Structures are given as structure tokens and as C-alpha cells.
């Protein structure tokens, strides 16, 4: 066990029998197997105590409120800095940017951390050394209890502060080493995945665990907690007690990677400080002759913490294996130690980035109804005489460095070659029509090309005396309606 984990966090409830489970580092004797068995047979609830880090919580904890993400006003300096870095902009209904887009690409002022962590554009900021450093620096400037070089932890505390998962302490403390209660961690996970909405309190849950501001959120994850209400193991004493790292990982794995845990083989991994303890409850007669005694899970966990060399319950061990496969932990698990706030956010972020309940998407900005940007597709313009074909060629001006050719056919050929394929097709069509009507204009009157193969008929300067040709609109494919050629 780490040397910095040496204090005991305890909630005293006089009406309930309690056992103090002390760290061997403290030199305190553990309760014997026979004493535990006697207590469970008497129907006594038990307090599970774990080693916690040496830490002095600072400030006064803020109220636990719940508001839509775009409406939050907590940590205004941090919020403004992150909005600037992430290029988040205000809108008529809230905000828009990488943290305010849902999986369908629509603007969502009531977004959640779970959805945001499936937006690859947001993940780019988290994975970029330069961008994540900017975000961390903004966090360190917001809290007084974050070390300057602890950028990774600062980033996690910034996520907690921006998304308001758990309240900070006033005036400006993040308390990253503060430990979490079981109901507190359950509430944090629920708030990370659930849009703000009206919730109905589960009276049965409250009856089981007692009254708490966290209940309205924690009740949503009761089914994923290792300690359950069915065995009375999740009760007023344990719900308000410090959660172990193993339990936190179990909750996340059972909620988001249940298929992995159901199929995991306990022989597929090894750890430096954990092993499969098997069915501890049956071995210690907390389950006897197939009968599960009240509080049996809390007694089983108590025994495992007292006797870590004997291993931990199989279900918790399976959760460690899956957590390791997802990169949440390594070979050193510290499974029996208290979970800190910064560790809780780290576990949560790494889990939500990998879970497949939401499809990965990519959006820098969201679509906002009524402000859609329509991409216009230009229709090809129909060529007309005015669009580049002029019998007098007065609208074609060549530069000094362009080849003008001879004053006759060469000039015309050069101009023709400069036209688009569509315009050339139009010229060809006009030429064919003119050949039919006036073949004499195209008679070969010269023996050689050097003298020109076309009769020069001149340029008409008086339209009143010049023959005009009116094409039927139905026969002028590619021409504008009622084109007149002079």
C-alpha cells in the first residue's frame, strides 16, 4: 500500500454496529473471521473503511445543482478560456461548438460529457499536446490547489468543472485528492451521461440508503453498483462510505463493457497486487448452505480488504481484467485503496472514450435549425450568341502577346479554338444551318489554301439590308429561345 495512504475516513452512525478496518501500516489488528461471522449472524450492518490519502480538503463545497451545459455559470473564467480555446461561440439558444453537438450533428445546449467524448473533433484537442496544455493552463489558473506541472490532473479537473459533474469548493478549490463516497461516484457517472431533466425520486432506494442530495442521481446506477440494495449491502452506512478503486472500476465496466466482463477469463491477466480470491462469501460462510445472509457482500468486501493476500471477489477481479484491457489501470491496481476525485474523472473519461453505446462522429460546429447553410450547385449556362459568338468579332480582344494569325481564316480559327467545347458545338450547329441555307457562302473559289478557301463576303454593317435567319426554338438545341443570327 502506498505510503501516502495512511489516514482512515470514517462516518460514525451510533445506531449501527461498526467494524473499523484499519491498514496494517497503522499497526491495528483486523477483526477476526470468527468475529465477522458472529456479527453477520446477528444481522449487524458493517462499515467498510479503507485507507485514504493524506489530504486536507479546502474551501466549502458548493451546492449540488443541475443545469443545462450551455446555461452553466460556474467557473466563469475557466468556462470562457475553454470556450475560446475550443472555438465555442454563443447562439440565440445557448452555445455552439465541439461540446454542443449531438451524434446527429445538431446543436445541443443540453449536451453531456458522454456525447462530447464521442466527437472526434473534441478528442483532437485532448490528444494534442499543444491544445491540451492550453486547456490545462486555463484550469491551473482557475484553481488554487493544482500544482503547476501536474497538467494531466488539471485537465481532468477542468472537465469536472466545465461539465459540473461534482461541485467544486468555494472560493476556488478543485480538491483533486479528496476521496469520493459510493453515492457520490454513482451520481457523478449518472450526470456525465444524462441530459438535464426532471427526475422522480425512487423512494425504495432512499429507504435503503437514507436521505442524500446524491440519491436522485445515484439511484440511476444502483443496478451497476457492486454493493447492492437486494442484500442490504448498499445501505445508509456504505452508500455514504468511501468507495474503493475496485468498486469504481466494477461500476464502469458493468455499465459500459458488460459483454466483456461476462466473457472474461480470469486466467487471462495477472497483476502485481491483486489475484482472484474466488467465492469468498461462501468460504467465510457469509453465504451458507446456499442462503445469502443480509449484508453478505459488504462483509465479503470487508474480509477481502483485511486480507488482500487472499485475493478479492471474482466479480471484482474480472472488472480489473477488463479495466486493464481498456487501459484504465496497469499491473498495479491499488484496488483496495480509496478512490480520489481526480482518479474518478480519469477512469470515467477513459471509459466513455471507448464505450460503443454512441456512434463516433465528427463535428466542429452543429447544425442549427433555421440557420442551415445550403450548398448551391451551379447549373451549366446555355450558350447564346452574346456569350462569346459575334459575327463581327468585336467582343474578342487578344493581348499583345497572343497570336492573332492572319486577318482571315487564321484569326477565326484562333478565336474558335479559344472557345469552350459547348460554345464550339454551338458554332458548329450555326455553321451547318448556314451551309444548308446559303451554300454559295462556303464555295471554294481559290486553288490553294494560301489564298483562302472561303469567299470573303464582308461584314454586314446594315442589319436592315442583311438577310436574317430565324431558327425554330424546337430546332435550336443548345441555343437560347428565338435566337436571331445576322
Amino acid at each position: 500500500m502506498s505510503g501516502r495512504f495512511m489516514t482512515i475516513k470514517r462516518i460514525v452512525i451510533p445506531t449501527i454496529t461498526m467494524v473499523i478496518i484499519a491498514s496494517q501500516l497503522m499497526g491495528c489488528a483486523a477483526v477476526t473471521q470468527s468475529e465477522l461471522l458472529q456479527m453477520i449472524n446477528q444481522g449487524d450492518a458493517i462499515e467498510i473503511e479503507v485507507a485514504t490519502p493524506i489530504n486536507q480538503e479546502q474551501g466549502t463545497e458548493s451546492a449540488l445543482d443541475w443545469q443545462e451545459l450551455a446555461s452553466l455559470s460556474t467557473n466563469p473564467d475557466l468556462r470562457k478560456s475553454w470556450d475560446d480555446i475550443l472555438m465555442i461561440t454563443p447562439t440565440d439558444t445557448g452555445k455552439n461548438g465541439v461540446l454542443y453537438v449531438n451524434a446527429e450533428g445538431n446543436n445541443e445546449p443540453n449536451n453531456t460529457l458522454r456525447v462530447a467524448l464521442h466527437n472526434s473533433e473534441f478528442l483532437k484537442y485532448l490528444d494534442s499536446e499543444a491544445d491540451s496544455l492550453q486547456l490545462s493552463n486555463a484550469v491551473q489558473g482557475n484553481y488554487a490547489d493544482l500544482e503547476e506541472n501536474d497538467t494531466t490532473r488539471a485537465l481532468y479537473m477542468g472537465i469536472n468543472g466545465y461539465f459540473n459533474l461534482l461541485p467544486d469548493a468555494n472560493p476556488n478549490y478543485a480538491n483533486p485528492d479528496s476521496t469520493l463516497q459510493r453515492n457520490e461516484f454513482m451520481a457523478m457517472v449518472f450526470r456525465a451521461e444524462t441530459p438535464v431533466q426532471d427526475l422522480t425520486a425512487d423512494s425504495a432506494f432512499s429507504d435503503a440508503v437514507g436521505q442524500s442530495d446524491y440519491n436522485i442521481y445515484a439511484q440511476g446506477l444502483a443496478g451497476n453498483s457492486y454493493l447492492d440494495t437486494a442484500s442490504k449491502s448498499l445501505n445508509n452506512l456504505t452508500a455514504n462510505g468511501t468507495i474503493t478503486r475496485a468498486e469504481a472500476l466494477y461500476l464502469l465496466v458493468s455499465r459500459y463493457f458488460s459483454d466483456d466482463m461476462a466473457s472474461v477469463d480470469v486466467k487471462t491477466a495477472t497483476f502485481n497486487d491483486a489475484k482472484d480470491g474466488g467465492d469468498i462469501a461462501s468460504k467465510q460462510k457469509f453465504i451458507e448452505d446456499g442462503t445469502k445472509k443480509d449484508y453478505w457482500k459488504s462483509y465479503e468486501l470487508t474480509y477481502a480488504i483485511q486480507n488482500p493476500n487472499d485475493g478479492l471477489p471474482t466479480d471484482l477481479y474480472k472488472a480489473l481484467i477488463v479495466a486493464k484491457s481498456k487501459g484504465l489501470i496497469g499491473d498495479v491496481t491499488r484496488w483496495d485503496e480509496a478512490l480520489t476525485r481526480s482518479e474518478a474523472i480519469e477512469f470515467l473519461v477513459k471509459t466513455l472514450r471507448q464505450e460503443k453505446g454512441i456512434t463516433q462522429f465528427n463535428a466542429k460546429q452543429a447544425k442549427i435549425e433555421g440557420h442551415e447553410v445550403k450548398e448551391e450547385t451551379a447549373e451549366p449556362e446555355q450558350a447564346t450568341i452574346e456569350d462569346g459568338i459575334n459575327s463581327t468579332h468585336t467582343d474578342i480582344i487578344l493581348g499583345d502577346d497572343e497570336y492573332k494569325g492572319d486577318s482571315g481564316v487564321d484569326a477565326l480559327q484562333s478565336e474558335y479554338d479559344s472557345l469552350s467545347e459547348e460554345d464550339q458545338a454551338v458554332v458548329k450547329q450555326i455553321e451547318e444551318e448556314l451551309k444548308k441555307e446559303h451554300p454559295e457562302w462556303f464555295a471554294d473559289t481559290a486553288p490553294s489554301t494560301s489564298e483562302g478557301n472561303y469567299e470573303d463576303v464582308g461584314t454586314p454593317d446594315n442589319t436592315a439590308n442583311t438577310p436574317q435567319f430565324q431558327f425554330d426554338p424546337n430546332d435550336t438545341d443548345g441555343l437560347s429561345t428565338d435566337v436571331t443570327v445576322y
Side-chain angles (χ1 to χ4, degrees):
M1 188 175 294
S2 173
R4 66 191 182 94
F5 284 80
M6 297 188 65
T7 62
I8 296 296
K9 183 174 183 178
R10 179 169 50 204
I11 297 174
V12 179
I13 303 179
T15 59
I16 301 177
T17 302
M18 295 173 287
V19 176
I20 300 175
I21 308 303
S23 165
Q24 281 100 349
L25 292 177
M26 299 291 289
C28 298
V31 178
T32 65
Q33 175 187 358
S34 60
E35 288 173 326
L36 287 176
L37 183 58
Q38 182 182 358
M39 292 178 64
I40 195 172
N41 287 338
Q42 292 174 177
D44 293 335
I46 188 170
E47 179 184 11
I48 306 170
E49 295 198 1
V50 298
T52 61
I54 299 174
N55 173 60
Q56 181 64 46
E57 290 190 12
Q58 302 183 75
T60 304
E61 189 171 86
S62 306
L64 184 65
D65 63 346
W66 205 29
Q67 296 183 37
E68 290 190 3
L69 183 62
S71 302
L72 286 170
S73 58
T74 54
N75 296 306
D77 293 339
L78 168 65
R79 209 168 290 284
K80 183 181 185 305
S81 296
W82 274 36
D83 285 350
D84 290 343
I85 295 169
L86 299 173
M87 295 187 289
I88 291 170
T89 57
T91 67
D92 295 339
T93 57
K95 295 181 179 181
N96 194 5
V98 293
L99 301 182
Y100 298 88
V101 191
N102 62 25
E104 289 72 41
N106 298 316
N107 184 235
E108 182 51 81
N110 192 16
N111 212 22
T112 66
L113 175 62
R114 182 189 181 197
V115 174
L117 288 174
H118 286 76
N119 185 354
S120 57
E121 287 296 333
F122 177 44
L123 298 184
K124 289 179 182 178
Y125 285 95
L126 298 183
D127 296 336
S128 164
E129 183 176 352
D131 292 334
S132 63
L133 182 59
Q134 284 192 70
L135 294 171
S136 295
N137 288 340
V139 178
Q140 290 168 335
N142 186 74
Y143 296 112
D145 56 348
L146 291 176
E147 298 177 6
E148 184 177 350
N149 60 347
D150 199 353
T151 57
T152 300
R153 264 204 328 173
L155 186 61
Y156 289 131
M157 299 317 297
I159 289 174
N160 178 72
Y162 192 97
F163 283 89
N164 190 36
L165 304 181
L166 291 177
D168 292 320
N170 292 320
N172 57 342
Y173 297 105
N175 286 314
D177 291 323
S178 176
T179 57
L180 297 187
Q181 301 172 174
R182 292 180 178 86
N183 55 8
E184 196 175 3
F185 180 70
M186 293 162 68
M188 186 197 75
V189 176
F190 181 86
R191 287 157 66 96
E193 68 171 32
T194 309
V196 174
Q197 57 192 270
D198 291 330
L199 300 173
T200 302
D202 183 346
S203 58
F205 183 79
S206 295
D207 291 343
V209 303
Q211 297 300 318
S212 169
D213 291 341
Y214 297 114
N215 285 356
I216 195 70
Y217 315 110
Q219 66 187 23
L221 275 83
N224 300 106
S225 172
Y226 178 72
L227 298 183
D228 57 2
T229 57
S231 69
K232 300 183 182 180
S233 294
L234 187 64
N235 51 52
N236 185 41
L237 192 57
T238 57
N240 294 282
T242 304
I243 189 172
T244 61
R245 285 165 55 91
E247 292 174 85
L249 293 170
Y250 176 91
L251 186 145
L252 293 172
V253 168
S254 67
R255 187 160 186 85
Y256 299 110
F257 308 120
S258 57
D259 291 342
D260 296 80
M261 192 160 75
S263 60
V264 71
D265 183 354
V266 295
K267 298 178 182 178
T268 58
T270 57
F271 299 97
N272 294 346
D273 60 349
K275 71 177 185 178
D276 178 21
D279 186 2
I280 296 174
S282 294
K283 293 176 184 177
Q284 300 305 318
K285 298 183 179 181
F286 305 144
I287 298 176
E288 194 169 10
D289 297 328
T291 300
K292 296 178 179 178
K293 301 175 183 179
D294 287 348
Y295 314 112
W296 72 268
K297 273 197 170 183
S298 56
Y299 273 82
E300 180 185 50
L301 183 57
T302 295
Y303 180 88
I305 293 174
Q306 285 189 103
N307 303 277
N309 291 334
D310 292 344
L312 65 163
T314 297
D315 285 345
L316 288 178
Y317 188 74
K318 286 182 177 179
L320 296 184
I321 294 175
V322 176
K324 180 179 179 180
S325 71
K326 303 297 181 182
L328 277 64
I329 55 174
D331 290 334
V332 177
T333 69
R334 297 173 28 234
W335 67 269
D336 55 343
E337 294 179 5
L339 178 75
T340 67
R341 181 174 290 221
S342 63
E343 291 171 343
I345 301 297
E346 179 183 1
F347 285 168
L348 179 62
V349 169
K350 289 182 176 179
T351 297
L352 293 179
R353 288 190 61 163
Q354 298 178 71
E355 66 96 12
K356 305 299 183 183
I358 298 176
T359 303
Q360 196 82 11
F361 63 97
N362 189 319
K364 293 182 179 179
Q365 293 283 320
K367 296 176 290 186
I368 300 179
E369 187 175 354
H371 298 275
E372 294 84 357
V373 178
K374 297 181 179 178
E375 295 184 3
E376 297 183 359
T377 302
E379 293 293 334
E381 297 181 359
Q382 298 295 323
T384 63
I385 297 300
E386 291 81 4
D387 288 337
I389 305 172
N390 187 314
S391 62
T392 61
H393 315 299
T394 57
D395 61 343
I396 300 177
I397 302 175
L398 300 178
D400 293 336
D401 59 341
E402 295 181 4
Y403 174 67
K404 300 180 178 59
D406 296 332
S407 59
V409 176
D410 288 343
L412 288 173
Q413 184 63 44
S414 177
E415 293 168 9
Y416 175 84
D417 291 340
S418 68
L419 297 176
S420 67
E421 293 183 0
E422 292 179 351
D423 289 346
Q424 289 180 7
V426 172
V427 173
K428 284 288 188 182
Q429 184 175 349
I430 295 173
E431 180 183 348
E432 293 300 322
E433 294 292 339
L434 291 175
K435 283 183 178 180
K436 293 178 182 178
E437 296 294 333
H438 293 277
E440 69 274 11
W441 288 5
F442 300 87
D444 187 356
T445 57
S448 68
T449 57
S450 61
E451 297 176 3
N453 293 327
Y454 298 100
E455 180 180 4
D456 186 1
V457 296
T459 301
D461 57 1
N462 187 339
T463 56
N465 298 320
T466 303
Q468 301 183 19
F469 304 93
Q470 186 72 29
F471 295 107
D472 188 322
N474 296 325
D475 295 332
T476 55
D477 200 18
L479 297 175
S480 60
T481 305
D482 296 326
V483 176
T484 301
V485 180
Y486 296 93

